[in-house]
Amino acid sequence: NFVPTPDEVVGVALPHLEEAKDAVVSFGQGCEGEPLMQWRLLEESIRRLRDKTDRGTIHLNTNGSLPDKVARLCDAGLDSIRVTLNSASSRLFSRYHRPRGYTLREAIDSLIRAKEKGMYTSVNLLIFPGVTDRASELECLIKLIKKTQLDLVQMRNLNIDPDLYLNIMGSGRGIGVSEIMGLLKDEFPRLQFGYFNR
């Protein structure tokens, strides 16, 4: 039930932003819940941090469920955003993430809103060979990248029981993850790939 105060957030984050080389302050790392559920705290904290310094990067890892709140955080001084997805297909996204009160549409809208406000945008794409590299998935991913103008696709191994995941996602044939990356690089020369935040 612990939620820090804006003073506590600033007390931890400000010295880092002011002193560290290539400093990054990140809200949300996947294990402590969805940071947008505390968007008021984040908005106030980001605003206070940016009142004190323009150094470093203030980053948000999120499910992208609240696009209006993402826009507010961008206005407060957020620099970059990463939305986690297992798929750019609504059907497979819903099967894995089981979202409550939002859909893939909101996650995509969050990326669009952030990009419109000049943010560096990325997706944390949960990779599973035989699912991620299906031709139908590539088609959906290309549409998402075109629509959102993404800067970076982070390729993250999805550590899950393979039988369970394929049972949920359905069977299919992949063309190879490296093949998918090559096709995306050809289609989007400026798109970056990586495993960590830039």
Side-chain angles (χ1 to χ4, degrees):
N1 293 328
F2 171 75
V3 177
T5 66
D7 285 341
E8 289 171 322
V9 172
V10 171
V12 170
L14 184 60
H16 181 68
L17 288 174
E18 289 182 328
E19 298 168 20
K21 181 183 177 186
D22 300 324
V24 177
V25 170
S26 183
F27 295 104
Q29 288 299 326
C31 55
E32 73 275 14
E34 173 52 46
L36 287 177
M37 301 312 296
Q38 296 293 332
W39 68 268
R40 288 180 186 87
L41 167 68
L42 270 57
E43 182 180 36
E44 178 64 21
S45 300
I46 293 168
R47 203 173 296 286
R48 288 191 194 184
L49 289 167
R50 283 301 175 224
D51 283 346
K52 301 271 189 190
T53 185
D54 61 358
R55 286 192 83 241
T57 298
I58 301 177
H59 176 76
L60 175 69
N61 290 321
T62 179
N63 62 20
S65 56
L66 301 170
D68 291 342
K69 307 314 180 201
V70 166
R72 289 183 65 141
L73 298 182
C74 293
D75 289 339
L78 190 70
D79 297 297
S80 67
I81 181 174
R82 185 183 75 196
V83 173
T84 296
L85 309 169
N86 75 312
S87 171
S89 152
S90 293
R91 184 173 58 89
L92 297 189
F93 173 86
S94 295
R95 283 184 182 178
Y96 174 73
H97 290 280
R98 300 179 190 177
R100 292 185 187 174
Y102 77 102
T103 65
L104 179 60
R105 181 178 296 131
E106 282 75 28
I108 292 171
D109 194 32
S110 287
L111 289 164
I112 292 169
R113 303 280 293 273
K115 181 52 75 178
E116 288 172 349
K117 292 184 177 287
M119 301 298 102
Y120 185 89
T121 59
S122 61
V123 293
N124 186 31
L125 185 62
L126 304 176
I127 300 294
F128 190 96
V131 176
T132 309
D133 57 339
R134 294 175 188 172
S136 58
E137 284 294 294
L138 175 61
E139 185 179 323
C140 291
L141 190 54
I142 287 172
K143 287 179 184 175
L144 181 143
I145 295 167
K146 283 181 179 176
K147 192 170 190 176
T148 62
Q149 297 298 303
L150 278 180
D151 295 298
L152 170 69
V153 175
Q154 290 186 247
M155 312 287 277
R156 295 291 179 94
N157 298 334
L158 178 56
N159 295 316
I160 192 170
D161 180 290
D163 293 330
L164 173 68
Y165 193 65
L166 289 172
N167 187 47
I168 294 168
M169 296 297 121
S171 60
R173 181 176 295 276
I175 62 173
V177 173
S178 59
E179 182 73 16
I180 290 282
M181 291 179 69
L183 291 168
L184 289 175
K185 286 177 185 177
D186 290 343
E187 183 78 20
F188 306 101
R190 67 176 242 348
L191 183 67
Q192 297 176 305
F193 292 89
Y195 198 77
F196 300 102
N197 285 343
R198 295 288 168 92

